Amino acid sequence: MHLFPSLPTPPPLVSILDWLSSIHYSQPGETTPKVIYLLWQIWKTRNEKVFRASSPWPPATCSKAINDFTAWNSCPKVPRQLPPPPNQPRAIRSHLLPPPSNPNLVIHCDGLFLHDSQKATYGIVVFDSHGDICDGKADTILCSSPIEAEAKALLEAVRYAQDKATPCLIRWTVFP
């Protein structure tokens, strides 16, 4: 099965956002959402391999991505304004994450508890005043509950802010 027969290979040292932007503008239509669903499914498959020791089968990953895309594509769409063309990459990043009104860093953090293993993962992503990613951290830790996983993610964000000795805005992500 060839999900993307004409999909360009990402050039070396190009961010995923810039690569997706170039695909979006060079291949309009359904290509960008398909690529996003494929990348999301690859990430989920990777997590299954790492945290549940599964044995992934690449065609199944592609099939799941196609099914997810098809389900999404059948939903009614709400019109939205598209970001500017790819010759303005900073504007695209700013569209996806509006920069803060002050020059401080913005730290996003989240934790995930894995019930089967009594472990958790957390991650922090640091954005500069332009909305560009400038740092981050992720780790796996021993943990006993979802609340503890979220608390440890927040703690790592606070520690990062303390180490930088600059005012930071911390945004905590909570998913149901």
Side-chain angles (χ1 to χ4, degrees):
M1 157 188 349
H2 295 297
L3 186 59
F4 305 105
S6 62
L7 188 63
T9 303
L13 303 176
V14 170
S15 76
I16 190 81
L17 180 61
D18 290 340
W19 180 63
L20 284 172
S21 295
S22 71
I23 291 170
H24 177 73
Y25 288 102
S26 67
Q27 298 184 18
E30 296 180 346
T31 303
T32 302
K34 283 182 180 178
V35 171
I36 291 170
Y37 273 96
L38 180 62
L39 293 172
W40 177 239
Q41 193 59 50
I42 289 169
W43 179 252
K44 293 188 327 186
T45 301
R46 174 248 179 227
N47 287 344
E48 286 292 316
K49 172 71 175 164
V50 170
F51 299 114
R52 293 200 169 87
S54 69
S55 298
W57 187 49
T61 300
C62 290
S63 179
K64 288 177 185 175
I66 292 169
N67 291 340
D68 288 350
F69 167 77
T70 303
W72 169 81
N73 202 34
S74 67
C75 295
K77 303 298 181 276
V78 176
R80 65 178 180 85
Q81 184 180 5
L82 293 176
N87 62 352
Q88 300 172 351
R90 182 171 305 286
I92 291 171
R93 286 191 289 276
S94 297
H95 175 76
L96 295 174
L97 178 68
S101 58
N102 57 25
N104 298 338
L105 298 175
V106 177
I107 304 171
H108 288 250
C109 64
D110 191 19
L112 171 68
F113 179 66
L114 306 168
H115 291 279
D116 297 342
S117 63
Q118 296 294 300
K119 290 184 180 177
T121 61
Y122 73 85
I124 65 170
V125 181
V126 183
F127 295 87
D128 65 16
S129 62
H130 301 290
D132 295 327
I133 295 174
C134 62
D135 203 355
K137 179 180 180 182
D139 203 356
T140 301
I141 51 177
L142 290 175
C143 199
S144 61
S145 72
I147 295 288
E148 184 181 0
E150 298 292 349
K152 288 189 176 184
L154 281 166
L155 178 63
E156 285 302 317
V158 169
R159 284 181 177 157
Y160 182 92
Q162 282 179 321
D163 289 346
K164 289 299 177 186
T166 184
C168 297
L169 172 65
I170 297 175
R171 292 182 174 162
W172 176 32
T173 306
V174 179
F175 292 104

